[in-house]
Amino acid sequence: MRFRTVSSPHVTRTPGVGAIMRQVLYALVPGTAALVWYFGWGTLINLGIAVAAAVGFEALMLVIRRRPVQPALSDYSAVVTAWLLAIAIPPLSPWWLTVLGVFFAIVVAKQLYGGLGYNPFNPAMVGYVVLLISFPREMTTWLPVQSLAAHHFDLLQTAQIIFTGTPLHGLGWDAVSGATPLDQVKTQLGLGHTISEIRKNSLFGDFGGKGWEWIANWYFLGGVWLLYKRIITWQIPTAMLLSLGLLAGVFFLYDPDAFASPAFHIFSGGAMLGAFFIATDPVTASTTPRGQLIYGAGIGILTFVIRTWGGYPDAIAFAVLLMNMAAPTIDYYTQPRVFGHGGRE
């Protein structure tokens, strides 16, 4: 029998940062296209504004820090940060809101810490949380899905709204915006309604929010692509979604009229996007296999706790940033044992 022989070196090459970031961008395309399909052109315009601002801020900071500009820009990390922020904010957000969020993400959360690889917190989520806390009205003005919307805007009208900050034809924001399914559940539960009553609203689909559940499916497909290409590992998304689903399942079984189902939690809001694209950030997440399981489970648990008893209907950004703080400690206590040596000293 002839055996296949391979010449040295036998160590496989790992993809560079640019190649990894390109795969992440490819994987984001289906979910982003679904967002545009269900919520109109606003997401696409926000994406253009965010990417332009991110590249501009990144180049400016690199010049100020006297670092080479071209290598940092060509790794696409600023584009990925801008993309994640752009698809997390409402589609008709004013342009300055997007630019401000990108400023905090790129300048404050990334470059002031030393650039890519030195930032302890996920830059996109830092920008998102700053906007959510500082401008709650603008950040909660989501459109209803196209099938439920009373007004539809074409590309030009959408751009006009984003750059002027006011709806067209004298319409108020109340006339064009609507609550998200997570908003609706939180608000109506606070008013004493049951989940059965709340789900009669047309905002809800088969198991999640109408439209949101399909957007989550496309993010899941993108996540599977990242797993297939070995850009991310299974530990963090699996642990996050399982912990969120199991915790939601326990409370749902305890009182199905007071707690939403596990499927609703997983297929509404940013759970699927967070599991595959945000929590798996290689810089700010835990790096050991056991640590990634703990890290992902922590995000899932915190998401459920904040959604259920906290002040915000979606909680992915807060949960990720809180677990970013815990990641170094988790890594320290979960280092794998080196073969031939004892345990951690």
Side-chain angles (χ1 to χ4, degrees):
M1 177 182 293
R2 293 188 60 184
F3 292 96
R4 181 170 174 263
T5 57
V6 185
S7 61
S8 62
H10 304 290
V11 178
T12 57
R13 293 181 60 187
T14 56
V17 175
I20 292 173
M21 294 296 171
R22 279 199 302 275
Q23 294 297 332
V24 175
L25 293 175
Y26 299 154
L28 280 169
V29 169
T32 306
L35 263 176
V36 175
W37 176 264
Y38 282 106
F39 292 102
W41 295 100
T43 299
L44 212 56
I45 297 173
N46 286 343
L47 187 57
I49 296 171
V51 170
V55 172
F57 284 134
E58 182 102 318
L60 177 63
M61 288 302 295
L62 290 167
V63 170
I64 293 173
R65 294 177 58 215
R66 299 181 180 179
R67 299 297 175 88
V69 175
Q70 181 59 30
L73 290 183
S74 60
D75 67 15
Y76 301 104
S77 60
V79 177
V80 170
T81 297
W83 195 310
L84 291 173
L85 181 64
I87 60 178
I89 63 178
L92 292 186
S93 297
W95 66 270
W96 55 264
L97 192 81
T98 306
V99 173
L100 190 63
V102 172
F103 171 82
F104 276 96
I106 298 296
V107 176
V108 178
K110 181 181 178 185
Q111 288 295 331
L112 291 185
Y113 279 99
L116 183 65
Y118 296 94
N119 50 294
F121 300 102
N122 185 296
M125 291 302 96
V126 170
Y128 179 84
V129 165
V130 168
L131 295 181
L132 188 61
I133 294 173
S134 305
F135 306 98
R137 185 177 69 84
E138 287 80 0
M139 288 294 286
T140 53
T141 309
W142 270 89
L143 297 173
V145 293
Q146 297 270 27
S147 60
L148 302 177
H151 304 279
H152 299 274
F153 303 110
D154 59 27
L155 178 61
L156 189 61
Q157 291 172 329
T158 305
Q160 191 174 341
I161 294 170
I162 289 174
F163 286 101
T164 62
T166 54
L168 303 173
H169 311 309
L171 295 171
W173 281 111
D174 291 341
V176 300
S177 63
T180 65
L182 285 171
D183 285 328
Q184 188 74 2
V185 167
K186 193 166 192 63
T187 303
Q188 294 301 317
L189 280 175
L191 294 174
H193 296 125
T194 65
I195 292 291
S196 304
E197 294 169 341
I198 297 169
R199 283 192 59 83
K200 293 176 182 175
N201 191 298
S202 58
L203 280 174
F204 298 91
D206 295 328
F207 42 84
K210 186 173 286 183
W212 290 96
E213 55 197 8
W214 283 104
I215 294 168
N217 284 334
W218 288 110
Y219 284 137
F220 174 75
L221 186 67
V224 171
W225 170 261
L226 293 180
L227 288 169
Y228 170 71
K229 300 296 287 186
R230 299 185 179 180
I231 302 299
I232 61 174
T233 57
W234 61 270
Q235 283 90 345
I236 291 178
T238 303
M240 177 185 159
L241 294 176
L242 271 180
S243 61
L244 175 61
L246 286 174
L247 199 53
V250 169
F251 281 88
F252 177 71
L253 290 174
Y254 171 71
D255 188 351
D257 273 338
F259 297 95
S261 69
F264 177 78
H265 276 282
I266 291 174
F267 289 95
S268 297
M272 204 67 80
L273 175 68
F276 288 100
F277 293 94
I278 297 171
T280 52
D281 177 7
V283 177
T284 57
S286 185
T287 56
T288 65
R290 278 194 302 144
Q292 290 178 341
L293 290 172
I294 298 169
Y295 176 85
I299 293 174
I301 293 168
L302 286 171
T303 298
F304 179 78
V305 169
I306 298 172
R307 279 182 176 183
T308 306
W309 295 287
Y312 292 91
D314 202 355
I316 301 298
F318 291 104
V320 168
L321 293 180
L322 288 169
M323 290 308 295
N324 282 167
M325 287 192 286
T329 304
I330 294 173
D331 280 349
Y332 178 79
Y333 285 104
T334 56
Q335 288 293 325
R337 186 172 68 87
V338 178
F339 184 74
H341 293 264
R344 182 182 54 79
E345 295 180 356

